[in-house]
Amino acid sequence: MSSLSPSRIWHIVTLIPEGKVLSYGKVADLAGLPGRARYVSRALKLAPDSLALPWHRVINSQGKISFPKDTEPFRQQQESLRLEGVIVNQGKINLSEYEWRPDMATLVLSLPY
């Protein structure tokens, strides 16, 4: 099904600015795929390394890193966010401070679909 092309997900993830985060569900919504939060996770896993996606900026809807604590992916995501100035406390990010909230003009001018 072409509407489930991971390229839409990848495009939204590339738009998330440094120092900001977005939940899997909101990435899906902005990609025109409402209710497909789990697909976002799958699409990120499918992304070729050559895209150099800032996957670390995608977190769960509670503002938490989804990887289990004390795993390499958890540590990598936490460190990548901290390097961008995001405060991560026990794997939790304050969404009121760090959630990306693009304005309509940004989206309209940035989305190819």
Side-chain angles (χ1 to χ4, degrees):
M1 184 185 305
S2 64
S3 66
L4 285 183
S5 167
S7 61
R8 287 180 164 207
I9 301 294
W10 300 341
H11 184 77
I12 294 299
V13 172
T14 64
L15 295 176
I16 304 169
E18 186 174 314
K20 295 293 181 182
V21 297
L22 205 55
S23 72
Y24 292 96
K26 293 215 173 145
V27 169
D29 290 348
L30 292 175
L33 301 167
R36 299 282 190 165
R38 290 185 184 194
Y39 180 69
V40 172
S41 176
R42 214 167 332 150
L44 291 175
K45 288 176 188 161
L46 293 172
D49 291 340
S50 61
L51 287 180
L53 290 178
W55 63 269
H56 60 279
R57 297 179 188 151
V58 183
I59 59 174
N60 72 26
S61 60
Q62 288 80 45
K64 296 179 182 175
I65 292 173
S66 291
F67 296 109
K69 285 186 174 158
D70 298 323
T71 64
E72 185 55 34
F74 178 93
R75 286 189 288 274
Q76 186 180 3
Q77 185 170 14
Q78 181 172 252
E79 181 63 17
S80 294
L81 289 169
R82 286 179 173 164
L83 287 171
E84 293 185 356
V86 176
I87 296 171
V88 183
N89 186 3
Q90 303 288 315
K92 181 127 174 61
I93 295 101
N94 182 345
L95 289 176
S96 65
E97 186 172 348
Y98 296 107
E99 183 179 40
W100 180 48
R101 294 181 182 97
D103 58 60
M104 189 58 73
T106 299
L107 289 177
V108 170
L109 296 173
S110 301
L111 300 179
Y113 44 88

